[in-house]
């Protein structure tokens, strides 16, 4: 640039970045040769329109302000030296990150069984209804009228609770007993709350759950929703806090501490004496579960070479889904919610062995310049993989020996505020995650809620396995889409499908409803219901994929030094999206339509913002904040020859604080020249 040419003409070099900028991860500008030296070898060709790590300065001498770039190029030098994922020890570690995913799947979907709203009726009403049929006089001859605090109810309203038709409770034996009357209207259901004791028909295979144990119905029904989002709130706080701690103290200590804590709080949940104790302990259980989920996700990503990261992550997702599919059988086997809760938590005892068999992340040790510990762990890896020192072609071990005197440099996620590109990428993915998981509940409610009466979906197991099947199909489609279109292209595709399904459900169904009122239109409510179910399935399918892919995308583009912090932000955003479901239910579904409209608008914003993201397929993971800052989106179309770019490239970014120095060296400028090198008119 003109300023730099005048500096060089005056005998000065290019300006140095201020210390604050270097601390935030920006790179000091170097000469032309230094600016053209890339960071090691890339793992593979970049896809069209993809992002790439921009050129970085040449390696500094040992003991200088920056460590050797050979060590910082983990995917290009250190990981190949260890044999990549082909090393036997790395395969064992990846397998150890898959096994806990099954336990995590059990814990994440336990609320569907512990806190399911059962069918309920006043105690004695179901037995009397079976004995007396539909007659009202004989029905109450032997009934427990002392159970009622108000006037005796009508025969039809006493046998049914507000949860809907009678399920698998003790009030219906089948056989030759006459059928119970149809559920009463909403106005008659209020009479079920006049009694002070109830019988329950639990649909989930349990004999007793939290709702039936503490009679969380009628005036106490709101406590169920509080218990539901206590786990989600714990997950949100856990993601945010344990992510920062894992970036500062390491992945392994946080993982093991959270495993010990979840054993304590999880087993204490099974011993709860009231719903307040249950909700409080569920918060801490969710907090510890978040630390386990986050650290395992980061360890899994950091163990893998570029071409295997997505496959390894998706296998863990499928293992967690296996836990989702097995939960109904586990509940039927346990029969009691306390036994089920204990059985969900006890497998985490196996993870206590990870203290002796699972090491710290070598990638994180190198990225934070803890070279003494990195050397010991590197030697341990070579011993486990039977790697000979002669295979160290690039000289990783000699370079590591030179850097042993360096002090560790750990970074907190707050450093991302001082960057130009990295914070933007993380914020975009957080909004995508929030929107994907938030709007998922809108589609699920439209299909399984009260708006659409589908005979198949009036059963708990049909609802549960329908949602699980859609999630499984979504992950399978995500594998195909990401393999063909890349991370950014796949995420853009699923977000477009989510927006289309949402807008069509909000707009087209209202139009069909208007036409169905005309007898000659040929439209009926059944047609509207079929369209609603179709759009809901497509929306659930696409929104689940968009949310899950946003989390994985963030794990790839966030630097190693703050990867857990970035993952914590995007996972907490997903938790906020899922938190809207119990909040809406707590308010009796009030504001549901506005809720759906807001998230539908967010999908349109996400589609635009996704174009700003880089493409991370087949790219090395960024290690430092400087790497993540230079992980920028390349233009879709190359600039024409001689065309001046609208934005400066990273190599052209200079320190403009030296403008005052130019004025001091004014004798080096020609007469009449301005500060930017031009002449006045």
């Amino acid at each position: 640039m003109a300023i730099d040419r005048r500096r060089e003409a005056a005998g000065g070099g290019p300006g140095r970045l201020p210390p604050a900028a270097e601390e935030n991860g920006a790179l000091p500008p170097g000469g032309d040769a230094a600016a053209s030296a890339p960071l090691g070898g890339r793992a593979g060709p970049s896809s069209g329109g993809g992002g790439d790590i921009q050129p970085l300065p040449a390696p500094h001498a040992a003991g200088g302000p920056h460590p050797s770039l050979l060590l910082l190029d983990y995917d290009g030098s250190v990981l190949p030296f260890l044999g990549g994922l082909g090393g036997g020890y790395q395969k064992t570690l990846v397998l150890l990150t898959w096994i806990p995913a099954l336990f995590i799947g059990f814990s994440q979907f336990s609320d569907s069984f512990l806190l399911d709203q059962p069918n309920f009726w006043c105690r004695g009403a179901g037995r009397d209804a079976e004995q007396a049929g539909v007659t009202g006089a004989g029905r109450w001859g032997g009934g427990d009228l002392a159970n009622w605090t108000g006037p005796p109810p009508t025969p039809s309203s006493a046998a049914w609770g507000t949860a809907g038709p009678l399920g698998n409770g003790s009030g219906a034996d089948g056989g030759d007993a006459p059928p119970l009357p149809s559920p009463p209207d909403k106005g008659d259901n209020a009479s079920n709350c006049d009694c002070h004791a109830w019988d329950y028909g639990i649909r989930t295979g349990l004999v007793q759950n939290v709702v039936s144990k503490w009679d969380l119905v009628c005036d106490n029904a709101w406590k169920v929703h509080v218990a539901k989002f206590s786990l989600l709130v714990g997950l949100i706080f856990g993601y945010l806090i344990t992510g920062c701690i894992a970036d500062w103290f390491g992945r392994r200590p946080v993982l093991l501490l959270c495993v010990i804590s979840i054993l304590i709080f999880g087993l204490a949940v099974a011993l709860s004496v009231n719903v307040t104790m249950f909700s409080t302990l569920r918060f801490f259980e969710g907090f510890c579960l978040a630390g386990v989920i986050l650290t395992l996700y980061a360890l899994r990503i950091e163990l893998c070479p570029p071409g295997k990261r997505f496959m390894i992550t998706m296998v863990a997702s499928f293992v967690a889904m296996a836990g989702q599919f097995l939960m109904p059988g586990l509940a039927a086997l346990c029969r009691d919610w306390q036994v089920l809760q204990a059985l969900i938590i006890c497998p985490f005892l196996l993870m206590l062995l990870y203290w002796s068999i699972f090491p710290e992340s070598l990638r994180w040790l190198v990225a934070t310049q803890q070279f003494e510990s990195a050397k010991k762990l590197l030697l341990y890896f070579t011993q486990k993989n039977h790697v000979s020192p002669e295979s160290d072609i690039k000289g990783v071990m000699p370079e590591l020996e030179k850097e042993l005197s360096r002090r560790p440099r750990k970074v907190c996620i707050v450093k991302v505020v001082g960057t130009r590109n990295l914070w933007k990428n993380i914020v975009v993915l957080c909004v995508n995650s929030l929107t994907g998981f938030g709007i998922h509940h809108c589609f699920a409610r439209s299909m399984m809620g009260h708006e659409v009466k589908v005979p198949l979906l009036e059963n708990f197991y049909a609802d549960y396995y329908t949602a699980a099947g859609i999630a499984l199909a979504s992950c399978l489609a995500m594998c195909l889409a990401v393999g063909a279109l890349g991370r950014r292209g796949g995420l853009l595709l699923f977000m477009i499908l989510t927006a289309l399904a949402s807008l069509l459900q909000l707009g087209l169904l209202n139009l069909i409803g208007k036409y169905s009122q005309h007898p000659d239109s040929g439209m009926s409510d059944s047609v509207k219901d079929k369209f609603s179910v179709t759009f809901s399935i497509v929306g659930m399918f696409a929104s689940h994929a968009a949310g899950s892919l946003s989390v994985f995308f963030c794990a790839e583009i966030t630097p190693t030094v703050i990867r857990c912090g970035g993952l914590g932000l995007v996972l907490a955003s997903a938790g906020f999206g899922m938190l809207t479901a119990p909040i809406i239910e707590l308010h009796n579904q009030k504001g549901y339509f506005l809720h759906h409209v807001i998230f539908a608008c967010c999908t349109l914003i996400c589609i635009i913002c996704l174009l700003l993201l880089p493409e991370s397929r087949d790219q090395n993971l960024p290690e430092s904040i400087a790497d993540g800052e230079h992980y920028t989106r390349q233009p879709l179309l190359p600039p024409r020859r001689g065309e001046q770019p609208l934005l400066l490239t990273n190599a052209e970014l200079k320190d403009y604080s030296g403008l005052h120095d130019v004025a001091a060296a004014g004798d080096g400028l020609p007469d009449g020249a301005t500060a930017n090198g031009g002449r006045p008119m």
Side-chain angles (χ1 to χ4, degrees):
M1 297 177 65
I3 296 175
D4 299 296
R5 289 196 298 268
R6 280 157 177 74
R7 285 182 182 172
E8 293 169 1
R16 180 174 179 80
L17 289 175
E22 289 184 315
E23 185 180 0
N24 286 334
L27 294 175
D32 295 336
S36 62
L39 175 60
R42 308 313 302 164
S46 175
S47 59
D52 199 0
I53 301 290
Q54 299 294 328
L56 298 178
H60 297 269
H66 297 277
S68 170
L69 292 181
L70 179 67
L71 298 177
L72 295 182
D73 184 22
Y74 189 91
D75 287 316
S77 57
V78 180
L79 196 57
F81 169 58
L82 298 176
L85 199 59
Y89 190 53
Q90 285 91 307
K91 290 181 179 178
T92 303
L93 295 180
V94 169
L95 179 63
L96 290 176
T97 64
W98 285 344
I99 295 174
L102 183 65
F103 316 148
I104 292 170
F106 289 152
S107 298
Q108 285 182 317
F109 297 99
S110 60
D111 272 356
S112 300
F113 299 85
L114 301 179
L115 296 169
D116 179 65
Q117 284 279 12
N119 305 308
F120 68 95
W121 56 92
C122 289
R123 184 162 296 168
R127 181 178 63 253
D128 295 332
E130 291 176 5
Q131 294 173 354
V134 294
T135 60
R139 177 178 205 170
W140 294 103
D144 187 10
L145 291 179
N147 184 33
W148 290 81
T149 59
T154 60
S156 62
S157 65
W160 298 99
T162 56
L166 186 64
N168 60 344
S170 60
D173 296 332
D176 298 330
L180 293 176
S182 59
D185 295 332
K186 186 175 180 180
D188 294 333
N189 281 335
S191 61
N192 292 281
C193 295
D194 291 335
C195 52
H196 53 76
W198 296 268
D199 287 326
Y200 297 93
I202 302 176
R203 309 174 300 164
T204 60
L206 296 173
V207 175
Q208 185 187 59
N209 69 355
V210 174
V211 179
S212 63
K213 180 177 178 61
W214 292 306
D215 292 330
L216 303 182
V217 295
C218 296
D219 293 339
N220 291 323
W222 62 272
K223 296 180 181 179
V224 178
H225 305 297
V226 172
K228 282 183 179 180
F229 68 72
S230 64
L231 180 70
L232 288 174
V233 172
L235 284 168
I236 292 171
F237 279 94
Y239 288 137
L240 295 174
I241 296 175
T242 58
C244 297
I245 298 175
D247 285 332
W248 198 263
F249 294 100
R251 284 73 164 123
R252 182 171 174 263
V254 173
L255 174 63
L256 297 172
L257 180 62
C258 289
V259 167
I260 296 173
S261 301
I262 199 174
L263 286 170
I264 297 173
F265 290 113
L267 293 176
V269 167
L271 303 176
S272 300
V273 297
N274 54 48
V275 68
T276 303
M277 180 179 177
F278 176 86
S279 301
T280 304
L281 291 174
R282 287 285 279 181
F283 170 84
F284 291 106
E285 180 189 352
F287 187 97
C288 302
L289 182 64
V292 176
I293 295 172
L294 187 145
T295 50
L296 286 175
Y297 204 110
L299 286 168
R300 200 178 295 123
I301 290 284
E302 292 173 356
L303 279 170
C304 303
K308 305 293 184 181
R309 288 193 300 258
F310 185 72
M311 178 195 70
I312 297 299
T313 304
M314 291 310 300
V315 171
S317 299
F318 288 127
V319 174
M321 285 183 188
Q324 182 180 2
F325 278 96
L326 292 174
M327 268 300 292
L330 202 62
L333 180 66
C334 295
R335 305 294 290 170
D336 186 82
W337 75 270
Q338 292 174 306
V339 178
L340 177 63
Q341 172 68 16
L343 191 61
I344 289 172
I345 296 298
C346 284
F348 284 100
L349 286 169
L350 299 175
M351 295 190 67
L352 295 177
L353 300 174
Y354 282 36
W355 180 262
S356 59
I357 61 178
F358 207 99
E360 182 56 84
S361 171
L362 178 60
R363 187 189 294 267
W364 177 77
L365 290 174
V366 173
T368 54
Q369 302 182 22
Q370 302 181 66
F371 294 119
E372 187 69 35
S373 301
K375 177 186 175 183
K376 297 178 182 177
L377 188 56
L378 192 64
L379 293 174
Y380 183 73
F381 268 77
T382 55
Q383 179 184 358
K384 285 286 186 178
N385 291 330
H386 305 289
V387 176
S388 61
E390 289 76 14
S391 61
D392 187 9
I393 302 176
K394 295 187 177 182
V396 173
M397 291 303 296
E399 200 70 31
L400 188 60
E401 293 284 349
K402 299 177 183 178
E403 305 288 346
L404 293 179
S405 60
R406 289 190 179 275
R407 296 181 59 185
R409 292 190 60 184
K410 300 176 182 179
V411 186
C412 184
I413 186 63
V414 295
K415 291 290 185 181
V416 79
V417 178
T419 60
R420 295 184 63 226
N421 298 313
L422 187 57
W423 74 268
K424 171 198 66 180
N425 297 337
I426 295 177
V427 168
V428 169
L429 291 173
C430 286
V431 175
N432 274 270
S433 178
L434 171 68
T435 304
F437 286 101
I439 203 172
H440 187 83
H441 168 68
C442 300
F443 293 119
R445 183 188 177 277
S446 296
M447 184 174 68
M448 302 174 186
H450 301 290
E451 292 184 348
V452 183
K453 304 297 185 194
V454 183
L456 177 65
L457 301 179
E458 291 180 358
N459 180 270
F460 169 80
Y461 294 105
D463 289 352
Y464 185 85
Y465 282 114
T466 298
I470 292 174
L472 178 61
S474 173
C475 288
L476 292 173
M478 190 162 54
C479 295
L480 299 176
V482 170
L485 303 175
R487 278 61 159 158
R488 184 176 63 168
L491 184 55
L492 186 61
L493 171 65
F494 289 120
M495 192 56 71
I496 290 174
L497 288 177
T498 304
L500 287 176
S502 180
L503 295 176
L504 288 174
Q505 191 170 48
L506 291 172
L508 183 61
L509 293 184
N510 289 333
L511 184 63
I512 293 176
K514 291 180 180 179
Y515 276 105
S516 63
Q517 297 176 0
H518 299 283
D520 299 333
S521 63
M523 296 286 185
S524 63
D525 290 339
S526 63
V527 175
K528 179 182 177 181
D529 292 346
K530 291 178 181 178
F531 273 110
S532 179
V533 171
T534 302
F535 294 147
S536 298
I537 292 175
V538 173
M540 291 176 67
F541 169 86
S543 61
H544 181 273
S548 302
L549 191 53
S550 298
V551 176
F552 174 75
F553 205 168
C554 184
E556 281 197 320
I557 67 174
T558 305
T560 300
V561 291
I562 56 170
R563 177 161 294 118
C564 286
L567 261 176
L569 288 175
V570 72
L571 286 171
S573 301
F576 274 115
M578 292 185 285
L579 191 62
T580 58
I583 291 178
I584 291 293
E585 292 174 0
L586 182 62
H587 289 84
N588 254 346
Q589 306 295 339
K590 293 178 181 178
Y592 158 75
F593 182 79
L594 180 61
H595 172 213
H596 197 168
V597 170
I598 291 174
F599 277 117
C601 296
C602 289
T603 58
L604 301 178
I605 298 174
C606 291
I607 291 172
I608 299 173
C609 294
L610 282 175
L611 301 175
L612 302 174
L613 296 177
E615 175 56 61
S616 59
R617 179 172 62 177
D618 293 329
Q619 299 294 328
N620 294 352
L621 289 177
E623 306 299 337
S624 63
I625 289 185
D627 297 344
E629 178 66 4
H630 292 278
Y631 206 73
T632 55
R633 180 185 63 85
Q634 298 297 323
L636 297 177
L637 299 176
R640 298 176 183 176
R641 180 175 298 178
E643 181 180 0
Q644 181 70 22
L646 298 178
L647 298 176
L648 296 177
T649 62
N650 291 301
E652 296 172 337
L653 293 175
K654 301 295 180 181
D655 180 20
Y656 283 88
S657 61
L659 287 174
H660 301 288
D661 300 335
V662 176
D667 53 343
L669 297 175
D671 295 338
T674 59
N676 60 359
R679 292 181 177 275
M681 299 298 295

